[in-house]
Amino acid sequence: MINFTLKQLSALLAQKQLSSVELTQAYLERVARLNPGLNVFVTVDADKSLAQARAADALLAAGKAQPLTGIPLAHKDIFCAKGWRTTCGSKMLANFISPYDAHVVEKLNAAGAVILGKTNMDEFAMGSSTETCFFGPVKNPWDRTRVPGGSSGGSAAAVAARMAPAAIGTDTGGSIRQPAALTGICGLKPTYGVVSRYGMIAYASSLDQGGPMARSAEDLALLLNAMAGFDARDSTSLERPAEDYARLLAAPAAAKLPLGGLRIGVPKEYFGAGLDSDVAAAVEAALAQFEQLGAKRVAISLPNAALSVPAYYVIAPAEASSNLSRFDGVRYGYRAPEYGDLADMYAKSRAQGFGAEVKRRILIGTYVLSHGYYDAYYLKAQKIRRLIAQDFAAAYRQCDLIMGPTSPSVAFALGAKVADPVQMYLIDIYTVAANLAGLPAMSIPCGFGEGGLPVGLQLAGNYFAEAQMLAAAHQYQLATDWHLRQPAGTE
Ligand code: GLN
């Protein structure tokens, strides 16, 4: 059962061969058994989960089920869920019980899905290794001495270790795609504005986007169908007709080759210095597989690719410094036990409540926004952001999808980069550009590299190309079995 897809689980539930209570119970047992070694879940609440499962079973019995009804999902602990502790991986919110649901949580609840628990993450989603969390690092299920990637490392590891059939995460600069790559699962960051940010604790609002994490492209489509939609409470939420993201999964019957006519752009900048040879080899093999399926390879260039990390690490901290000013020890969150006047209470609460990486980002953000440096850093980064978006616009005149590595290396050792922020930031080289441009992108497993660790292939598309990306990924997954591999020791 633990290897069933969402579609298979959905069918079993509909046919009453399995109840949501049984399914949820089975996953809760796996979480209890595997969590002490992996540190994936920050909060589980069996009573709450089982109450939702019973409600789902009632819907199933009444014939009112939707595709996700009764399916337990792991939620990154950045999504506010009513009555659930919602920590964002921080001491600042370690005791915060959310009084309301995020829009995504509302939508998944309305679809009848069950919240299995809240997953560990980098503090305030700042990181690429799930090591900056207040609750300790997450271990990679493929090798417990390695990181799972980040910041949605808990959600990724939950899916990889079969502690949940699927999960949700957020991606500001790669936090869905990179941990998906490093744990051998699939993850999708939608076009900016497709998924509401309401109730998703803000990191960098012009970049943040929620999305699904699962074992197959088909499952991602099912989840995105339930997560996407207009929400008036998010001023950047897009008002557009509902889409079925699974609609292109079946290859057109007339086509001799399932991906005939698809033009895949391969940017030369994504295969230069800094890319490990084992990752390059797996990605090359995947591109060859896509060609066998009928796709045509087009050499393209994204001339400003090297500027994406510097621009991102100005813009994201700038927005974070503003977003995180709300954590002042007054309204909610941590308050220092002892302080003098009001200013001292703010200072002590923030000094004690935030970890080192979060403080570094707040300092950088405040600096680049300050009078005298704004033009030199923040304004310049915004100009580069526009150039990066223009690079993609030019590229999508030559190709339909862009493919390359998700991460320059396989999962690295715990502790290897956490003391060197620049090394950590450089990991994001292939992922941050999609966020800066607001474009959709995803990662799927495409082989194994050094140490038998998973390699991820990144697929990126033009605005609203999610269904097209998912269809290409699905054809690849019909022809290969990388996405079906399970880490040893998680049986
Ligand atoms: N690693 C990037 C950062 O630390 C991206 C994180 C994210 O996408 N939330 O900002």
Side-chain angles (χ1 to χ4, degrees), residues 234-380:
D234 169 0
S235 61
T236 59
S237 172
L238 295 168
E239 204 166 355
R240 50 198 307 277
E243 249 188 78
D244 175 9
Y245 293 100
R247 71 185 184 281
L248 303 177
L249 294 187
K256 283 199 206 76
L257 287 168
L259 297 179
L262 182 76
R263 296 167 305 164
I264 297 176
V266 182
K268 63 169 190 281
E269 292 80 4
Y270 285 18
F271 291 83
L275 177 63
D276 284 358
S277 58
D278 55 339
V279 175
V283 169
E284 274 299 335
L287 291 170
Q289 179 73 50
F290 273 96
E291 287 181 295
Q292 275 179 30
L293 292 168
K296 220 178 85 207
R297 197 170 159 153
V298 185
I300 61 160
S301 173
L302 298 169
N304 294 292
L307 298 178
S308 62
V309 166
Y312 173 88
Y313 279 98
V314 168
I315 293 168
E319 295 186 23
S321 71
S322 167
N323 273 325
L324 271 60
S325 66
R326 73 193 62 176
F327 301 104
D328 56 5
V330 175
R331 286 164 288 191
Y332 37 67
Y334 180 82
R335 180 183 294 180
E338 283 170 38
Y339 50 85
D341 60 5
L342 182 64
D344 190 48
M345 187 198 77
Y346 291 154
K348 288 211 167 73
S349 298
R350 288 167 68 81
Q352 294 165 19
F354 289 137
E357 183 60 27
V358 172
K359 286 178 193 158
R360 180 180 296 123
R361 306 274 179 118
I362 292 173
L363 288 173
I364 296 171
T366 310
Y367 181 81
V368 300
L369 289 173
S370 61
H371 183 73
Y373 293 106
Y374 180 93
D375 287 1
Y377 296 108
Y378 184 72
L379 201 61
K380 189 161 254 166

Side-chain angles (χ1 to χ4, degrees), residues 76 125-128 150-151 170-175 203 312-313 361 428:
K76 183 178 184 178
M126 296 172 188
S128 311
S151 64
T170 62
D171 191 311
T172 303
S175 280
Y203 163 15
Y312 173 88
Y313 279 98
R361 306 274 179 118
D428 302 337

